[in-house]
Amino acid sequence: MTSETTSNDFIRTIINKDLAAGTHQQIIVRFPPEPNGFPHIGHAKSSTLNFGLASEYGGRCHLRFDDTNPQTEDQKYVDAIKCDLKWLGFDWGKHEYYASDYFEILFDWACKLVKKGLAYVDDSPENIIRAMRGTVTTPGIHSEYRDRSPEENLNLFQAMRAGEFEDGSRVLRAKINMEHPNMKMRDPLMYRIRHATHYRRGDEWCIYPFYDWAHGQSDAIEGVTHSICTLEFSTNRILYDWYLDALEIIPRPRQYEFARLNLDYYVTSKRRLLSLVQENVVDGWSDPRMPTLAGLRRRGVRPAAIRAFCNSVGTTRVDSTHDPALLDHFIREDLNHLAPRVHCVQDPLPVTLTNLPENHEENISASYWPRDIPREGTRNLPISREIFIEHSDFSEEPPKGYRRLTLGGMVRLRHAYIIRCTDIEKDEDGHVIRVHCELIDGTRSGAETSSTLKPRGTIHWVDASRSLPAVVKVYDRLLSQPSVNEDLWSNLNPSSLVEYRHARIEPSIIDDVPEQRYQFVRLGYYWRDPESINQSIPVFNCIVPLRDSYVQETKENTKQGNIKTARKTSKKHPVDEQKKSRIKTGQRPLTPEEKQWLRMSGLNSAIGLAIYSVPDASAFFRAASASAPRISVGNWMANHLLPSLKNRSLSDLPFGPEEFSELVQLADKEIGSTHEIREVLKLMFESKEHPARLLARVQDSIVDDPDTLNEIITDVLDEYKDRVEAYSAGKIGLLGFFVGQVMRRVHGNANPKQIQLLVSEALARITS
Ligand code: ATP
Ligand code: MG
């Protein structure tokens, strides 16, 4: 594995302290998947973190399968997880472990708790047990079996193990506290009876440990020093510690929780991904639209891009959802210097170069690389009287700013000549089916010419007869909404797969190795679909478009007869008109100016282009970022300043880049909260006062407007999702914490009673 940059985070801080204090000599962590599905991008985050820590600190990372549930687990998932982790570049050596190998010791330990009077066999049905646990605000009720003697419990538990009882007839429970504010501590279940075949242990066992009983002990057995898991387990920590105390296990692992990685427009839950597979909505776990590692691999993404993405999002305790554009960014970065540029026309429109003779055959030697990549290599681009261009590169009624071919207009064919459109042919329905152009002599690229012609733009093309047929599959986000709660099915993106069945590609690719990645000029990065490698017509997957953008479907798009939208998705779930219209082009090539601007600005494309498209904003951005961090200036401009401009222009504002940069610094140094800085920005639109002074005023004024307060409360509850979770698990004392956080953000300038009321209401909405 290559060494990659990771930032210092709270986990690394803890480890540094532990090492400095001599608490541990060696760091032992683990990645603990349950083999009940294929790993996804969230697992990439967790494994990148754990294996990364092991390698950074010269420790080790175990791969442990938490395989305690015979009903959902399978060897095929173990194999998939190992394959994907190896592909990501991780090595666990001989440290491959299975919780199912610990069944004996876990059983002995359970007996130990029984003998100590700390666990009992409960004959109540599972639904009764659930009902007797109580609620967040009401205590649980003791089971009538709770006071069985240790001897009776031991006999019963051994009889459970010996297979004397039916499934579901009894459970083993820890005897903790039915009134505990954390519901996880209300006599949690340790074992259930399941006469089921385990994929590794066969029929050896008919009782299976619950995850919560197996997980912490497995870490202890392996000598794990830092058990790193996701935030939803923070309320379990107390239980894991209780078990270790009761068993008197020393030394013990310490658990630390970090926020899950979520991606907008995707689901990262194995349960939901499994349902997509089972319902045949996708082509298995490795469908390139899936956020699984197998899907990303099949799409053509390389592991380095995934690791870089996981490292870049950092490790925090704040739940956050990431824009897939960020992952795309790392994929492009990884491929830019690796993928030779070739021509592929996805949606061909025939062009006749009328002034070339019928039998004209010419070969153009064209570089594989753009000028800014210092690599060598050329290929032959044949050209003759008949060529293809993209349908979308010709327009009869061009919109303003259209820089491609129009009737009477000129474009340059990339690496070749300037052509002028003289005529078009249409079918009965009025669709353009062929364009006639004349090739302008003496305009060949690179040749010494004195041409002063000004073509509108440069487009890609291929020769008609000497190009090769290809099928091109372009993938888009799985969902049509950034996130969905329950109704996954009606939120699937109907255009998540667009198939171009009559694409044409230049002939140079014919002898290439299958793993070769290309940049199809002006389109994106592509490679051969590994699962279609034996098909006579090559099938290419789009790894990532050059730029991703959602735009309204234009009339032009609907005309494209040769495009077949993913049937599997659209057939099952008829799409409404509005969703249909959100089809992705992904194909609009960036202009060279836009590209250069993005490169120079160092901003991601969404932010960068938002700024680029507003008059004067680029200059404003440059000036403001002279004294504040560029990325922050970009974010604040794109997300706050520009959207509030409405009809005003930047030069009309009472402040300039200098003041704006001061504002951004106040935000960056956390002198003001995001909310306050936004308030200050509003005031700056009307006043010439200094941002710092405005901030002081905002921070001093009493806030009693419920809308404003609710906005702040939502921010707080979002930031502390883990505590909201804990609150709903019974830690109702956290109400005070939330109120305190809100008070802090208004600098004490609000009525705590009012805030308490609003926070309680907000919590009730979330946790009901
Ligand atoms: P899912 O919700 O997809 O079923 P899981 O947590 O049940 O995931 P596991 O196989 O138990 O899946 O996960 C293995 C490890 O990966 C755990 O430590 C888990 O906390 C971590 N993990 C799972 N999903 C994510 C995610 N989205 N972001 C970061 N870590 C994750
Ligand atoms: Mg899990």
Side-chain angles (χ1 to χ4, degrees), residues 265-476:
Y265 298 98
Y266 288 93
V267 283
T268 43
S269 142
K270 280 186 286 186
R271 179 178 58 80
R272 290 182 139 182
L273 294 172
L274 177 63
S275 68
L276 294 174
V277 172
Q278 285 173 336
E279 298 277 323
N280 280 326
V281 172
V282 293
D283 182 14
W285 287 97
S286 66
D287 186 302
R289 290 169 289 173
M290 294 278 270
T292 51
L293 299 179
L296 290 164
R297 177 169 57 235
R298 179 171 167 195
R299 187 136 72 82
V301 176
R302 302 191 330 141
I306 297 178
R307 290 195 303 263
F309 167 70
C310 291
N311 285 327
S312 87
V313 301
T315 304
T316 67
R317 289 186 51 85
V318 183
D319 263 322
S320 54
T321 303
H322 298 279
D323 187 337
L326 185 64
L327 175 58
D328 288 352
H329 162 81
F330 284 102
I331 300 173
R332 288 188 201 104
E333 290 256 291
D334 177 51
L335 295 176
N336 185 22
H337 286 254
L338 186 111
R341 276 55 170 172
V342 297
H343 287 186
C344 173
V345 174
Q346 290 187 156
D347 183 20
L349 172 65
V351 175
T352 302
L353 302 174
T354 50
N355 57 342
L356 289 185
E358 296 272 347
N359 58 357
H360 181 86
E361 277 196 1
E362 187 178 339
N363 286 310
I364 295 173
S365 166
S367 171
Y368 272 124
W369 302 98
R371 255 178 239 122
D372 60 343
I373 296 185
R375 291 189 65 170
E376 309 256 311
T378 56
R379 82 283 191 190
N380 250 347
L381 272 179
I383 186 166
S384 63
R385 185 178 152 93
E386 303 293 339
I387 63 170
F388 292 121
I389 64 170
E390 296 284 355
H391 251 283
S392 57
D393 280 340
F394 176 81
S395 174
E396 211 186 342
E397 292 158 30
K400 201 163 163 257
Y402 190 76
R403 296 164 64 96
R404 297 169 245 174
L405 193 59
T406 57
L407 198 53
M410 276 185 298
V411 290
R412 174 173 288 286
L413 298 176
R414 194 182 168 84
H415 293 302
Y417 297 89
I418 296 177
I419 57 171
R420 177 186 288 119
C421 174
T422 52
D423 198 4
I424 51 177
E425 287 175 38
K426 291 186 178 179
D427 66 8
E428 290 152 14
D429 301 325
H431 298 151
V432 177
I433 51 166
R434 180 177 296 275
V435 177
H436 293 232
C437 293
E438 61 183 22
L439 182 149
I440 301 174
D441 248 346
T443 58
R444 185 162 149 176
S445 291
E448 292 283 319
T449 59
S450 55
S451 163
T452 52
L453 297 175
K454 290 257 180 302
R456 289 240 192 151
T458 301
I459 63 174
H460 62 280
W461 56 279
V462 292
D463 187 58
S465 61
R466 285 188 286 167
S467 60
L468 306 170
V471 172
V472 173
K473 295 184 176 181
V474 179
Y475 305 97
D476 194 10

Side-chain angles (χ1 to χ4, degrees), residues 32 34 211 233 270:
E34 188 185 347
Y211 181 88
F233 290 101
K270 280 186 286 186

Side-chain angles (χ1 to χ4, degrees), residues 177-190:
N177 178 358
M178 289 305 289
E179 275 145 43
H180 202 287
N182 181 339
M183 295 191 46
K184 300 249 159 82
M185 296 293 276
R186 296 188 186 170
D187 292 11
L189 308 188
M190 296 169 65

Side-chain angles (χ1 to χ4, degrees), residues 342-348 388 390 462-474 498-507 509-510 518 520 523 526-529 532 535-542 562-564:
V342 297
H343 287 186
C344 173
V345 174
Q346 290 187 156
D347 183 20
F388 292 121
E390 296 284 355
V462 292
D463 187 58
S465 61
R466 285 188 286 167
S467 60
L468 306 170
V471 172
V472 173
K473 295 184 176 181
V474 179
V498 175
E499 210 173 307
Y500 297 87
R501 314 191 116 198
H502 305 290
R504 306 287 305 193
I505 187 164
E506 63 169 77
I509 61 112
I510 190 81
Y518 291 104
F520 289 178
L523 299 177
Y526 293 75
W527 83 330
R528 298 259 185 104
D529 177 25
S532 319
Q535 295 190 10
S536 54
I537 296 186
V539 178
F540 282 90
N541 288 337
C542 179
N562 130 38
I563 303 173
K564 182 174 155 283

Side-chain angles (χ1 to χ4, degrees), residues 484-747:
V484 296
N485 292 324
E486 279 321 304
D487 193 10
L488 183 58
W489 304 112
S490 57
N491 287 302
L492 292 170
N493 173 5
S495 327
S496 59
L497 167 59
V498 175
E499 210 173 307
Y500 297 87
R501 314 191 116 198
H502 305 290
R504 306 287 305 193
I505 187 164
E506 63 169 77
S508 69
I509 61 112
I510 190 81
D511 295 323
D512 272 335
V513 289
E515 304 85 62
Q516 179 69 50
R517 275 122 173 133
Y518 291 104
Q519 185 187 108
F520 289 178
V521 169
R522 296 175 67 228
L523 299 177
Y525 293 95
Y526 293 75
W527 83 330
R528 298 259 185 104
D529 177 25
E531 293 189 22
S532 319
I533 225 69
N534 294 324
Q535 295 190 10
S536 54
I537 296 186
V539 178
F540 282 90
N541 288 337
C542 179
I543 307 170
V544 64
L546 283 185
R547 181 194 162 208
D548 55 332
S549 58
Y550 274 80
V551 297
Q552 291 294 314
E553 184 177 38
T554 61
K555 288 210 178 83
E556 222 174 351
N557 285 335
T558 47
K559 280 194 230 153
Q560 297 174 341
N562 130 38
I563 303 173
K564 182 174 155 283
T565 303
R567 289 268 310 286
K568 277 186 165 170
T569 317
S570 48
K571 186 178 61 186
K572 252 187 137 77
H573 309 287
V575 221
D576 62 42
E577 280 315 300
Q578 188 219 336
K579 270 190 218 128
K580 240 193 219 160
S581 73
R582 276 171 62 91
I583 94 151
K584 169 199 161 209
T585 60
Q587 316 326 338
R588 179 174 92 71
L590 291 185
T591 63
E593 292 84 335
E594 283 171 336
K595 277 191 199 156
Q596 197 193 354
W597 149 254
L598 282 180
R599 239 192 329 267
M600 271 172 27
S601 68
L603 298 173
N604 73 35
S605 52
I607 299 275
L609 291 173
I611 294 175
Y612 187 75
S613 60
V614 176
D616 296 334
S618 306
F620 190 99
F621 166 77
R622 253 192 308 274
S625 47
S627 44
R630 267 186 320 179
I631 304 290
S632 310
V633 172
N635 286 341
W636 273 91
M637 275 188 76
N639 294 323
H640 304 286
L641 175 61
L642 300 179
S644 355
L645 274 181
K646 310 262 163 37
N647 297 324
R648 291 167 81 165
S649 73
L650 281 168
S651 52
D652 288 337
L653 298 177
F655 60 93
E658 216 169 284
E659 288 77 12
F660 185 73
S661 121
E662 281 172 30
L663 179 76
V664 171
Q665 291 178 59
L666 293 173
D668 249 21
K669 294 180 188 148
E670 294 184 20
I671 296 173
S673 68
T674 308
H675 173 79
E676 288 162 354
I677 302 293
R678 278 211 312 261
E679 285 299 311
V680 173
L681 181 60
K682 269 191 224 156
L683 295 174
M684 284 168 70
F685 268 76
E686 310 307 332
S687 130
K688 275 188 175 322
E689 215 173 331
H690 196 269
R693 220 165 295 137
L694 288 173
L695 178 62
R697 261 196 10 224
V698 165
Q699 294 180 335
D700 276 339
S701 56
I702 291 282
V703 189
D704 57 3
D705 168 39
D707 285 345
T708 311
L709 288 172
N710 272 327
E711 208 177 304
I712 301 171
I713 290 170
T714 310
D715 283 350
V716 167
L717 299 185
D718 269 354
E719 180 168 335
Y720 294 101
K721 278 215 175 85
D722 53 327
R723 295 189 199 211
V724 171
E725 172 86 9
Y727 173 86
S728 59
K731 285 201 173 176
I732 45 180
L734 280 170
L735 181 62
F737 167 80
F738 297 128
V739 172
Q741 285 297 319
V742 178
M743 287 303 285
R744 217 167 55 111
R745 286 177 201 209
V746 294
H747 298 272

